[in-house]
Amino acid sequence: MSWLVTVTGWALGVSLGQSPTTLEAVRLHQTEATSLAEREWATCVQTKCPDAGRLGLLAGTLALSDGRAAEARDMLAAGPAPALLEPYRAFYLGQARFYAGDAAGAALDFSRVLEAPGAPLDLVTRARARLGESLLKAGKAKQAAVVLEAAVKAMPVPELLFQRAQARGESGNRAGQQADLMTVALRFPTHPYGDEAVKWLTEVRRPAVRLGFAERTQRTEGFLGGGASQRALEELATLEGEKLSKDQAAKVSLLRAKALFALGRAEEANQALVLAQKGPASVASDAELLVARRALRADDNEKARLLMAALDKKYASQSAGEEGAFFAGWLDLQAGRFAEAAKAFTAHGERYARSRRRDEGLWFRSLAYLRLADYAQARASLESLVSTFPKSSLAPQARYWMARSRELGGAGAAEVGPEYERLITVAPASFYALLASERLKELGRVAPASFPRPPLSLELPRPPELGLAVELTRAGLFRDAAEEVESHVARLRSADQALPFAHALMSLGEFGHAHTVAARHLWGRAFGSREPDALAAFYPRAFSNAVEQAATAHKVDPFLVWAIMRRESAFKPEVMSAADARGLMQIIPKTATEIARKLAEPDPAPADLFSPDRNIRYGAWYLSRLMERFSHPVLAAAAYNAGPSAAAKWAQERGDLPLDLFVESIPFRETRGYVKQVVADLFLYHAFYDAQGAQPRLSLVVPAPSKEGVTF
């Protein structure tokens, strides 16, 4: 059942506001959404239909998002919305008045939200913040200061801190103003208000506030973390002429080196590192680790190996020493020095007994023995991993390789079959359950189903808490509906509460929130007792119309689209990564531009990638081209995550390995995990939903990729 049909069913007896076509266009961020909404509102006003308030609410908010504040104000002021939605109309009317230049009028609207009986806490919090800003702009600083005190307590963001600083200053609270501006300057250096705060503290205030070593280095680290390397250098330059201790000077040199490396000024960076390496062990070790990591990133693995081993010997009491020991073994493994790798990881476990990487070290030691075909040692190491760290995320792969190493050592089906079967039972959704299933088939045994019954969607009574979310959805205010849902999701405490909530969310089309609820509360039911109604929230066919249309158009497996979507965004269209990947399929704007040109479409704006419709189309096109080039879901998933060039290189260098060892040998940890989950999910989606009933086989041979095909 589609979410539109469900919402209509829930609203029987009440005229439906927006048409299904308009709601679908708004939900998928289609370009015609605004014109459709405005046309429906205008027609309703002309015919004096009873739903003008609801229709005007959507048309007004869409106009506001387009920057047409005066038009939005007129639409929103034309008439009241349904009772549950009236606080939202007041809020957006306040927004429209504010941006149309009427701060005093906006303050009145935001005050109405705070006074509305039963207004949602999230909306009240937003309205309070905007009320403080409106009062400040309207010249009512004392009133603004009172409101902003509560607003900052609820949301300590730089904008509100800066506004409270202004209100405090205009009200005569200079100490409070200084405290707020110092917080903005130190905690949010990359925000535009960070510069404004520093300017006021050091130039406007009398006497000026001095930012010393601690403050300047904290801001520098913030700039480095935010990718503003040039700003980091400028911040450090303010310390020139300061009387610094030797230890302080060493830390400044290390920060300077990091910024210079990021800017491509390696010669200057290396000079700065020389000074950093003369500092205390805490600084010198980080400086030498930076050198080793740079060698690693430059693929100078032999140099990196020497540097990492030196860190282990020189700085055993520092975190850099432990990292050096670990990566020395890892580099031996990557270079094919498997005996040396086994020794290195054994030494790492003994030398750093409290390392957070002990389980990973045991795994890599086991992998080294597997590559040496020393199956007895591999099995012993794997058994140690499972017994010492039974709850480790590495336990399923250790159990698979325990069985596989026994099989490679000559054991027959009667011995290893039960081990594979047990793994499928213990970790049914894992990549290793899929591998175990394939191994059982090779042995002539019938593999047990990972999940005896497919996901089951339930038609349950809607939880009363979702009444407002339904009204918001009917009005097309999907973002507000999502925030209302999240406020209730946060209050769920048990699986019995979560199950009906998750199914109601899926009926509303809130697949991302349903998945969040399931991940928090239904894990045991889905993957322990393997209950089909719990599984449904983990493996939905989200945005099914858009996925199936795009998959058909671009000739790609729709289940692969869902598997990628599940891993990339967990079905949340609004997600954006630190690398600027956006939307359901996490597409980077540069890649989207390349895809659009291949499709003969105009270059998309980055914000366009939050549209589920466009994002799915681009992702489906890209996946189809990856499958054309690589011919195997393992390689296609690796290419989607790490890029086609990297996937082609790994296939060329290690494609003679069996698929299971090939995946374990992918050098990027993130990509290894990504490939395992995507491929496992792909086969689960087929098992759950393939109408043909034919479960595909996972080829355990790595194919040679084509030299032609997609390269971006």
Side-chain angles (χ1 to χ4, degrees), residues 145-164:
V146 173
V147 172
L148 287 167
E149 290 293 335
V152 169
K153 186 175 181 180
M155 290 194 304
V157 296
E159 293 86 354
L160 291 180
L161 283 162
F162 192 82
Q163 289 161 16
R164 188 175 71 175

Side-chain angles (χ1 to χ4, degrees), residues 9-339:
W10 284 347
L12 286 175
V14 181
S15 62
L16 179 66
Q18 279 69 25
S19 69
T21 300
T22 298
L23 288 175
E24 182 80 358
V26 173
R27 185 167 191 83
L28 296 179
H29 295 213
Q30 292 173 344
T31 54
E32 65 271 22
T34 299
S35 60
L36 286 171
E38 291 183 6
R39 192 179 308 132
E40 288 182 356
W41 172 72
T43 300
C44 183
V45 170
Q46 186 177 10
T47 59
K48 298 182 180 180
C49 83
D51 236 359
R54 189 196 312 276
L55 294 168
L57 179 55
L58 177 60
T61 56
L62 291 174
L64 185 60
S65 68
D66 288 341
R68 296 181 286 128
E71 294 175 59
R73 176 198 60 205
D74 295 342
M75 293 177 192
L76 290 161
L84 278 176
L85 301 180
E86 185 58 21
Y88 289 89
R89 187 182 76 92
F91 177 80
Y92 286 114
L93 182 56
Q95 296 271 64
R97 290 194 204 278
F98 183 89
Y99 290 116
D102 181 7
L108 292 175
D109 288 319
F110 293 131
S111 295
R112 286 173 50 214
V113 178
L114 270 60
E115 295 163 1
L121 179 60
D122 174 75
L123 185 66
V124 168
T125 300
R126 287 190 283 158
R128 184 179 290 112
R130 296 312 313 274
L131 173 59
E133 183 180 10
S134 299
L135 290 169
L136 185 61
K137 190 170 184 179
K140 300 177 181 179
K142 288 187 178 180
Q143 291 176 256
V146 173
V147 172
L148 287 167
E149 290 293 335
V152 169
K153 186 175 181 180
M155 290 194 304
V157 296
E159 293 86 354
L160 291 180
L161 283 162
F162 192 82
Q163 289 161 16
R164 188 175 71 175
Q166 289 180 292
R168 282 175 164 180
E170 292 177 25
S171 303
N173 182 359
R174 303 283 282 179
Q177 180 183 28
Q178 179 176 322
D180 278 345
L181 291 173
M182 186 65 81
T183 299
V184 173
L186 298 184
R187 288 177 53 192
F188 307 100
T190 59
H191 193 280
Y193 283 145
D195 289 338
E196 292 292 321
V198 170
K199 183 177 180 180
W200 187 90
L201 290 166
T202 60
E203 298 178 23
V204 177
R205 188 188 186 283
R206 290 292 178 268
V209 176
R210 178 181 174 276
L211 301 186
F213 170 81
E215 293 80 16
R216 294 296 185 181
T217 52
Q218 182 176 339
R219 279 177 53 80
T220 299
E221 288 168 344
F223 284 128
L224 288 173
S229 302
Q230 184 59 46
R231 292 298 314 278
L233 285 181
E234 292 166 5
E235 193 69 29
L236 291 174
T238 63
L239 290 172
E240 291 177 6
E242 294 281 340
K243 193 172 182 180
L244 302 177
S245 69
K246 182 180 177 181
D247 290 358
Q248 289 174 331
K251 182 173 181 179
V252 168
S253 294
L254 177 59
L255 293 172
R256 180 174 167 77
K258 290 179 178 180
L260 289 166
F261 277 131
L263 292 168
R265 294 159 61 180
E267 185 175 346
E268 295 172 78
N270 285 323
Q271 292 172 2
L273 278 179
V274 171
L275 297 175
Q277 288 168 330
K278 295 177 181 178
S282 59
V283 174
S285 61
D286 284 347
E288 293 184 27
L289 179 58
L290 177 59
V291 176
R293 285 174 174 167
R294 283 187 57 77
L296 191 58
R297 283 196 294 269
D299 285 333
D300 190 351
N301 287 357
E302 293 306 312
K303 179 180 178 181
R305 170 66 174 80
L306 292 172
L307 293 170
M308 292 293 185
L311 282 166
D312 175 32
K313 292 180 180 178
K314 190 174 180 180
Y315 297 109
S317 62
Q318 302 291 328
S319 61
E322 187 274 326
E323 188 162 344
F326 183 87
F327 276 100
W330 185 84
L331 286 163
D332 280 335
L333 192 62
Q334 294 302 306
R337 298 187 292 266
F338 303 122

Side-chain angles (χ1 to χ4, degrees), residues 37 77 91 101 103 127 186 198 221 284 364 417 444 462 470 479 490 510 545 555 570 594-595 598-599 662 673 712:
F91 177 80
L186 298 184
V198 170
E221 288 168 344
F364 282 129
R462 169 170 53 86
V470 170
R479 182 173 297 178
E510 290 292 343
N545 289 341
K555 299 179 181 178
E594 295 280 356
I595 294 171
K598 295 290 185 182
L599 293 170
F662 173 83
F712 58 88

